[in-house]
């Protein structure tokens, strides 16, 4: 199975990690503090989970899930994310992130901005339009389940979108291809 690195350990990341472990994946969690602060989460998730620094989680992951405030994009470990498929779950919020002119003017999507900080990664927007409690309760591991939900993804790399699709399907969802990163605004808060 896949090793999934996590940069950020909030409600969305923890929920994706739980679903990933249940699907048989390994997970490596990180946050902006220290790996020891994730001991309870790791213990709850079990032997397929471990904690590390953000750089170590980025290096360990076949796929890396990034859930940080947009204002934290400059602090992400770009070097270990080079060549990696990165799932961007982030939503821009000027009240939290401060005003970012390129996002306010809509000349860039937040995922395109992320790609500027991670130019050698393959970014795919996903999981940013579902409440974490719904993400947990709506998962249907059986691929043919009549009530299986779809999640949109957007990205510019076909291989990265294929990897993210396979991962999302493994944790209980079907996928709708929503186009390139430039169209990921359709998944943003308030659309």
């Amino acid at each position: 199975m896949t090793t999934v690195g996590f940069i950020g350990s909030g409600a969305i990341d923890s929920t994706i990690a739980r679903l990933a472990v249940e699907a048989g994946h390994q997970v490596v969690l990180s946050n902006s503090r220290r790996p020891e602060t994730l001991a309870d989460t790791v213990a709850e998730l079990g032997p397929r989970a471990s904690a590390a620094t953000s750089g170590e989680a980025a290096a360990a992951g076949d796929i890396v899930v990034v859930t940080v405030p947009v204002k934290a994009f400059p602090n992400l470990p770009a070097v270990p994310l080079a060549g990696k498929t990165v799932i961007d779950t982030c939503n821009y919020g000027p009240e939290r992130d401060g005003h970012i002119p390129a996002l306010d003017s809509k000349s860039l999507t937040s995922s395109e901005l992320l790609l500027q900080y991670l130019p050698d990664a393959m970014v795919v927007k996903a999981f940013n339009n579902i409440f974490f409690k719904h993400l947990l309760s709506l998962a249907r591991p059986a691929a043919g389940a009549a009530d299986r939900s779809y999640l949109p993804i957007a990205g510019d790399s076909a291989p990265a979108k294929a990897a993210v699709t396979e991962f999302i399907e493994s944790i209980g969802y079907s996928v709708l291809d929503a186009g390139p990163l430039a169209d990921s605004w359709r998944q943003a808060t308030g659309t």
Side-chain angles (χ1 to χ4, degrees), residues 43-62:
E44 185 180 323
L45 292 174
R48 288 194 176 109
S50 62
T53 66
S54 294
E56 292 166 342
D62 300 309

Side-chain angles (χ1 to χ4, degrees), residues 10-163:
I12 284 288
D13 276 19
S14 297
T15 302
I16 297 169
R18 175 176 313 286
L19 292 170
V21 165
E22 289 172 2
H25 301 287
Q26 294 287 126
V27 299
V28 181
L29 306 171
S30 72
N31 61 21
S32 60
R33 296 174 303 279
R34 298 175 322 282
E36 306 82 59
T37 63
L38 295 166
D40 290 344
T41 303
V42 168
E44 185 180 323
L45 292 174
R48 288 194 176 109
S50 62
T53 66
S54 294
E56 292 166 342
D62 300 309
I63 292 174
V64 180
V65 178
V66 173
T67 307
V68 298
V70 172
K71 67 182 177 183
F73 285 178
N75 303 324
L76 292 170
V79 172
L81 289 170
K84 301 273 181 149
T85 295
V86 173
I87 299 176
D88 169 21
T89 72
C90 308
N91 284 312
Y92 171 55
E95 66 286 344
R96 177 197 60 211
D97 298 312
H99 285 280
I100 300 171
L103 300 181
D104 290 338
S105 70
K106 299 184 180 8
S107 62
L108 284 179
T109 65
S110 61
S111 293
E112 289 172 312
L113 179 64
L114 176 60
L115 191 57
Q116 289 183 356
Y117 289 102
L118 307 175
D120 298 319
M122 297 170 288
V123 175
V124 177
K125 183 68 136 193
F127 298 112
N128 68 306
N129 66 338
I130 186 167
F131 185 51
F132 76 96
K133 289 182 180 179
H134 297 153
L135 183 61
L136 187 60
S137 66
L138 295 175
R140 301 293 185 266
D147 60 345
R148 197 169 209 219
S149 296
Y150 281 76
L151 296 176
I153 65 168
D156 298 335
S157 164
K161 285 167 99 173

Side-chain angles (χ1 to χ4, degrees), residues 138-189:
L138 295 175
R140 301 293 185 266
D147 60 345
R148 197 169 209 219
S149 296
Y150 281 76
L151 296 176
I153 65 168
D156 298 335
S157 164
K161 285 167 99 173
V164 172
T165 296
E166 183 177 340
F167 173 68
I168 291 173
E169 288 177 345
S170 78
I171 65 168
Y173 289 86
S174 294
V175 171
L176 174 69
D177 187 335
L181 285 181
D183 289 342
S184 65
W185 66 267
R186 292 184 175 112
Q187 301 167 219
T189 303

